[in-house]
Structures are given as C-alpha cells and as structure tokens.
Amino acid sequence: MNGDAAIRTQLRRLQTLFMDSPVGMAFAALDGTVLDVNWALCEMLGRSRDEVIGSAADAIVHPSERSQATANQQALKTGSADHLRMERRFLRPDGTVRWGDVSVLLVRNDDGEPDYTQVAVVDVTDRKLADEAHDRLAAIVQSSSDAIIGADIDGVITSWNPSAERMYGYTAEEMVGGDGRKLLPPWDTEFGGGMLPRVMAGERIEQHHLQRVRKDGTLISVSIISSPVRDSNGTIYGVATAVRDLSDEERAQRHAAMIALSSDAIIATALDGRVMSWNRGAEALYGWSAAEMVDRDFYAILPPDRRAEAMELRAAAARGEALHEHRSARLTKDARVVHVSVSASPITDADGVVIGVSTIARDITATVEAEEARRAAEARMQAVLENAPIRLGAFDAAGVLVYHQAGRSMRGSGLEARQVGEWMGDMIPDQPETLDLMRRALAGEEVATEMEIGDRVLAVRYTPLRDELGKPDGMIGVAVDITDRVRAEREREAIERRLRRSERLESLGQLAGGVAHDFNNLLAVILNYATFAVDELDGHPAKADIEEVVGAARRAAALTHQLLVFSRQDIVEPQTIDLNLVVTAMNQLLQRTLGEDLDLRTDLAADLAMVTADEGELEQVLMNLAVNARDAMDETGGTLTITTDNTTLDHDEARRHPNLDPGSYVRLRVRDTGAGMAAEVLGNAFEPFYTTKDPGEGTGLGLATVYGIVTRWGGEVTATSEVGAGAEFTVLLP
C-alpha cells in the first residue's frame, strides 16, 4: 500500500471512529458554528445531522445557559482558555431537556493561533434525574410519618428515619450499623418468620399483626411491608421496610405510602380500563402525572400491537387469575417505547367480587436492550465469520472440537465440513505433521504453518486457550485463505525472472554486437584477400584450398549477421506489413522445409491489424520458429500450428510483460506437438549459442535471432513448454 492509500485508509478509520462513537462528538468553528457532528450527539439532541451542522452551538443549549455558553465561546476564541468542562442542559425540539457532561478542547493551528474546537458530550441525563429522584426520595423518607428502615443482606441496619426513632425509641446513631434483631420479641427467633431470606430472593412481603419491642421494653403491634432494594443492574443488595401501627386508617395510609414510594409502576384500573390510582413509580416510568392519568383510559400507555394482549390479561384478571413477571412493552408520554415486566392481580370488594385490576410494572428496558445488543453482536460476529475468508475451530483440552465455522469463501475449498464432538486425530488421520502442531498448541505453544489443499493455499495458526490459572485448557485453530496473495507473489517472482532474463539477453546482445562488428571487419579483410588470391591462382593446386577459405569466411559472415540481428545493430528500413500475407507467402516454403511427415496448419484472424517491421526479418522469425519446432519433433512427424490474432494488454496484463506498454498488439503463436522442453532448457532458450543439439549440428543462434528481431520492433517473444507436451512460442508486435 502506498503512502496516499495508507493515509486515505487512516482517514476512513478516523471518520468511522468519530461517527460511530457512543460519545457525542462535534467540531465547531471559533464563532460557535457546528462544522460536523456524530450520530450519538444528534440522537441526544433529537435532531438530524443536517439540522445541527451549520447551526450555532449556543442555539441548542437551554435558554437559561446561553449567556454562559457565549462567554465560554469567547474565551476559546481569544485563546484565553484551551479546555473547558461543564454540565449543560440541551433543549430538544420536542421540549424535553437532556443533561450533558461537556468537554471543549481548543485546537490551534501551526502558528499557535486558535483554529477550531473539539467537543465531546456524555449524556448524563439519567444520572441527573436519578440524583434528583434520590434527593426527593430522601426527603420523602425523612419526612414520612412511617418508620422507614433500610438493611443490608445480613440484616445490618443501614438507614433509620425520624419516624423510626419516634416509633422504637432508638436514635439513628444507636441503630445504624447494628442488628435489627434487638427489635424482635423473644418468641420471634426467625426475624419475622424468616422474612429476610425471602426478600433477598426477590419477594415483596407484607406482614400484619406483628409484635416489636421498643427501647423501653414495651411491645407495639405493627404492620410491615418489606421489599428488596436493587441496584441499577437489578441485583438485590438490601431490604427497605416500612412500619406502621395497626389501625385501619394507618393500614390504609401505610399501604398507600408504600405504593407511592415504590419504584415500580403500580396502577389500579377498573374493569373497563379506567385508571383509579397512579403511583409515583408510574409517573417516573411513563411520564404522565397522576392528575393526568386518573379517570383516563389505561390503554393510552399501550402500543397498538400490545392492546389485544392487554385485553386478554385483563379478562384473565377479571376471572380471578393472577399474572407474574410477564414481559411486555408500554408507551411513555414522549412516545418512547419502554420494556416492562408486568405482574397483575385482581382487586376484589368485601364480597370477593372482582372490581378491578392491580398491575405492577418494572422497567426492564436496559435488560432487554442489553439482550438485543448481545444478540445483535452475536449476529454481527456470525455474519463476520460467515463472510470472512477464514475457517475457525475451537477444541477443548482433550482435542475435541467444540465449535466450528467456515467463512463463505472457505466453503468448498477442499476442507471437509466438521462436526462438533469430533476428535482432532480422527479429523486429520493422514496429516501427522499437522496433528503434531495441534498437540503442541494444546500443550501451550502457539504454532503456525502453511498448507495447500486442492488449488487453495491456507495459512493455519493454532493458539492455546488458558483457564483462570493460566494453564492450557484448549486451543483455537484459524485457517486463512491466502491463495490470492501467494499467487500474486508467485506471479511477481515470474515477472522478475522474465525481467532479469530480458536484461541478461540485452547485455549479451550488446556484447555480441560489439564482437560481431569487429569480427565482421576482420572477415571482410579475409574475404577480400582470399578472393584476390583465388583470382590469381587460376590453375594453381592451392586454389581449391583458398576457395574453402572463402566459403568459410562467407559462412562466418552469415553468423555475424545473425549476431547483429540478435543485438539489433544491423540497419533495416521499417515497413507497414500484413503478417497474414507473410505467413501465407511462407506456407509452401515452410512445408518443404518441414518435410512431408509434419502437418502444417494455420489459423489466421481475418481482421488482423498491421504491424511495422521488416518483411525479411519476419520471414526469418517464422522460419527459425518453424525449424526449431521441426527439430523438437521426431521422425514420426507431428503437427505445427501457426495462428494470428489481435489482442489488447490492459495495465494489469502489461505488468506481466515488463518490456511492453498497455495497448493493442498483433499476436503470432507457433505451437508444436514435439518433445517439449524442461524448465532449465526453457529458461535459456533465447540465449545466443545455447543449444541442446550435438556439437556441429547447430549454432544456437536461431531463437536468439528471433528474440533480437522481435524486440527490435518493440515486441516480445515468450515460450511455454512441458516435457512431453510440446511447446508454444508467442510473439507480440505493436
């Protein structure tokens, strides 16, 4: 990856991190104009990105805080402050208010001058509301006429309100941190009939006509309602107990107070759905006050798809049936859907006739969303595994497969499907090396290898799993398909080999050309003087010997000409040539040269483009390739096929041809059915003086001459062959 691509990749990652961050984030100009904003902040503000981007930052804060926001903006703009942190209220378009913990960081330019600001906003609305609710609840508890007592899971008193002091005679200092069992009469040895364990198990207990002991030793008759106290995760960590004297009025007031103080939404409705009571828990959960909901239809808080369900539950309650911990959904005043756990029971009159329904709903939205998030995360992970080019397997300490997943590109790669419960030794009985790697991973060693299966290449890594003590407890095996990478590396190596061969032949050509020029000059002198001697030795016995010298000099001159062609140093005039006409004109000559035992075939493209070259040199290319093919076939004959066509090299194709540019080419292919060439022979085929023939049977310049002619005209010649499968020479000319 080049530098620009790496930078673009990094920028994309940063943009994704910015947009998908769960923390609200934005960039703003020095005048407060919002330059960019992520999804989390838009969701908190209740606005779209288009609405926020380009707006003034102080326009979205609560009106009462805008003057302070403007002052802060000025401090950042002038550079007198580099970082600010504060809590801010934000006014949403629907009129609701959200609280945010805001951090603003001033970014300076290279000259140190203020440039823009980075803003991070954490939504703390729930905490603020919880704090306010906690303060209200504390005030209620402190001012309540009931004795409200808190205890931990061991029964140790944690809170003791003023009414408890008045009722029992003990001060808070005397009771907080102490054991509440001092309030029990001698005969109550199980703390109110075993109340504490039941509440700790999540049960809400209402007890009447109990006896308790005051500090002065007197007994009082009380009614007690005990409820579990849960943290934000729903974990029970204590007990809240409300105590009152047993008079009818007090019991009624106590019951009403407990309902009012309950964090659960407790609602009483008539059989026709009309709300008769609406506690503070309902106000907190649904957003409507009691004044807004009493005498109103209960179905206002039901999503349309839940109304039929609610009617069935109400009908069951009218029949005297109770419902426990049923999961459902409800609507809030601001049209949000909250998930609740609902319990319902019938309300009866003095005669036992059902006159209404009491429902207790607990907000489980966070639990449901967490479950949905977990399922979504599992689905995303499954999708990743389904589509990733990997095969994943997990094994226990005994080497038994406990999980298996293959990505889409890995299915059908030659690896068999595996079933959970298989032992690793049964999975690869014929791969002892791999089995040894797996055993080493189970022993705690991380190991890796590469293997070829079919036409695929896999990188395999085995990583040990460890228990809480760090001991090996299994392993994970991951196989990644690296076929494309390996093929690319092999292709690159092949290109590099061709380039090195081309450079080597170029160097040989320069050397051969220099030698040929000097040798040609010497041959010219030898040939001239030998010719003069022949003319002057007419009738002399030595004339025949001198004529042999002349013949040898002429053959040497022909060889030097071939060397000059290979080195591309002889002078020729380029012509526009139809290669098909050259092949057709050479057909009879080639047939006579090859002999009757060889079958010469041609397949010439009708629309073949023209090339710029020398016709005589192209004839020499055809003849040399044909003779080379004839020599590769034995006396029984064979088939020589000459084909022509047009082809185009795109940028990717041109990369595999180091000496060619992308563009259009005419392609000449000469294919024989001969003995073929080994890899070593194929690699040296175009080098001058290289031959596999016996001494004296060949000069080794035939294919070298072809190479020189083709490269002279800006083309390329390549060969492919296997022993026993013939050979094919391909010429590309622009």
Side-chain angles (χ1 to χ4, degrees), residues 87-166:
E87 286 190 349
R88 282 279 181 267
R89 287 178 294 173
F90 295 91
L91 186 62
R92 295 159 59 103
D94 61 4
T96 59
V97 174
R98 303 296 292 180
W99 280 89
D101 185 343
V102 182
S103 293
V104 184
L105 176 66
L106 175 65
V107 179
R108 299 178 181 270
N109 59 26
D110 293 339
D111 297 326
E113 297 296 326
D115 195 0
Y116 64 94
T117 60
Q118 296 177 355
V119 184
V121 183
V122 178
D123 191 341
V124 295
T125 305
D126 292 341
R127 176 178 62 77
K128 293 291 291 187
L129 294 177
D131 290 345
E132 294 172 0
H134 180 270
D135 293 341
R136 290 195 299 270
L137 180 59
I140 291 172
V141 170
Q142 288 300 106
S143 61
S144 173
S145 60
D146 297 329
I148 299 178
I149 304 167
D152 64 15
I153 59 176
D154 298 317
V156 176
I157 303 298
T158 57
S159 64
W160 186 267
N161 76 338
S163 292
E165 291 182 332
R166 291 190 296 269

Side-chain angles (χ1 to χ4, degrees), residues 196-232:
L196 186 59
R198 293 164 58 196
V199 176
M200 289 304 167
E203 186 177 353
R204 177 181 176 274
I205 301 175
E206 184 172 345
Q207 297 171 302
H208 302 284
H209 306 290
L210 298 178
Q211 298 292 309
R212 289 294 179 262
V213 180
R214 289 173 49 85
K215 183 177 181 180
D216 60 8
T218 60
L219 292 176
I220 55 173
S221 181
V222 296
S223 175
I224 299 177
I225 297 177
S226 300
S227 300
V229 179
R230 303 175 186 269
D231 60 18
S232 59

